[in-house]
Amino acid sequence: MFMQDITRNATSFSAVEALFAPVTTGLVAGTLLETSSGWQPIEALAVGDCVQTLDGGLARILHLDRRTLRPEVETALLMLPGGQYDACSDLLLLPGQHLLIDTLDDEAMQGAPFAMFPAQALAGPNVRRHYAPKAVDIITPLFADEEIVYVNTGVLLHCPGVTDGAGRYPEDSFFPRLDAVAARAFLARRSARLAA
């Protein structure tokens, strides 16, 4: 009986801990997603709306995790300028939000067509830190399974499944996930190939 109480308390603690964890992933209010009725800002979407995904189908939003980023106590956002990585306009990203891009047959990626990596790996001359003057809404759409969604026209962002929860990635993700160091090396190789 005592052990059951510990298990119940541990589960509750995890849920409470998740609520107060630093906001490092999710979509910043104003991010445009391609829906069944056209491009919509993430904050205008509701449970039940359908979003266009990489696999070519519409996926239904099952839950929307809403948090508030308070810049004075958390990390800065990253500003990805329009024109970079197929963004039609400037895009604000949380440093832990994962993007997906074409590997361009990079041999080090062992045949994987895409690679997923945290936005913090983009830091450089074209991507700058952005300090919002006030609190910013962060919304994570949750689907039946992990999905890759189109935002700001051509940028591909990872969104979790409901069983994984906001800010988490499945251990058996279909896409190879690079840490920031490996991603920077990959992006440098990719840039060199595109420039050649």
Side-chain angles (χ1 to χ4, degrees), residues 117-131:
F117 60 89
Q120 64 188 351
L122 296 172
N126 294 327
V127 178
R128 65 183 189 281
R129 290 178 181 267
H130 174 81
Y131 295 92

Side-chain angles (χ1 to χ4, degrees), residues 138-188:
I138 305 297
I139 301 127
T140 303
L142 299 156
F143 300 93
D145 294 302
E146 68 171 333
E147 295 287 356
I148 303 296
V149 299
Y150 288 92
V151 306
N152 288 36
T153 306
V155 180
L156 294 168
L157 296 184
H158 179 271
C159 290
V162 289
T163 56
D164 299 312
R168 299 181 188 233
Y169 298 91
E171 293 297 322
D172 59 348
S173 176
F174 178 75
F175 302 103
R177 187 159 55 106
L178 306 176
D179 63 22
V181 173
R184 286 187 189 108
F186 161 69
L187 291 170

Side-chain angles (χ1 to χ4, degrees), residues 7-168:
T7 304
R8 187 168 42 248
N9 290 341
T11 302
S12 325
F13 179 73
S14 295
V16 169
E17 187 178 45
L19 285 174
F20 294 101
V23 180
T24 58
T25 66
L27 307 185
V28 179
T31 301
L32 300 173
L33 278 79
E34 186 177 8
T35 72
S36 55
S37 58
W39 291 93
Q40 301 287 332
I42 181 63
E43 65 271 23
L45 300 184
V47 170
D49 287 343
C50 291
V51 176
Q52 190 67 43
T53 63
L54 177 64
D55 66 9
L58 290 166
R60 189 173 307 282
I61 296 173
L62 300 182
H63 180 71
L64 288 163
D65 180 81
R66 296 178 184 272
R67 310 267 175 116
T68 301
L69 177 71
R70 301 192 189 287
E72 68 276 7
V73 296
E74 302 195 55
T75 55
L77 297 168
L78 297 171
M79 173 69 79
L80 178 68
Q84 297 286 321
Y85 298 97
D86 297 323
C88 66
S89 58
D90 292 351
L91 175 64
L92 289 173
L93 294 166
L94 283 159
Q97 177 60 48
H98 279 60
L99 294 86
L100 189 81
I101 62 171
D102 189 322
T103 62
L104 302 179
D105 298 321
D106 184 324
E107 290 180 9
M109 297 307 298
Q110 302 176 346
F114 295 95
M116 189 164 61
F117 60 89
Q120 64 188 351
L122 296 172
N126 294 327
V127 178
R128 65 183 189 281
R129 290 178 181 267
H130 174 81
Y131 295 92
K134 58 183 180 179
V136 176
D137 291 331
I138 305 297
I139 301 127
T140 303
L142 299 156
F143 300 93
D145 294 302
E146 68 171 333
E147 295 287 356
I148 303 296
V149 299
Y150 288 92
V151 306
N152 288 36
T153 306
V155 180
L156 294 168
L157 296 184
H158 179 271
C159 290
V162 289
T163 56
D164 299 312
R168 299 181 188 233

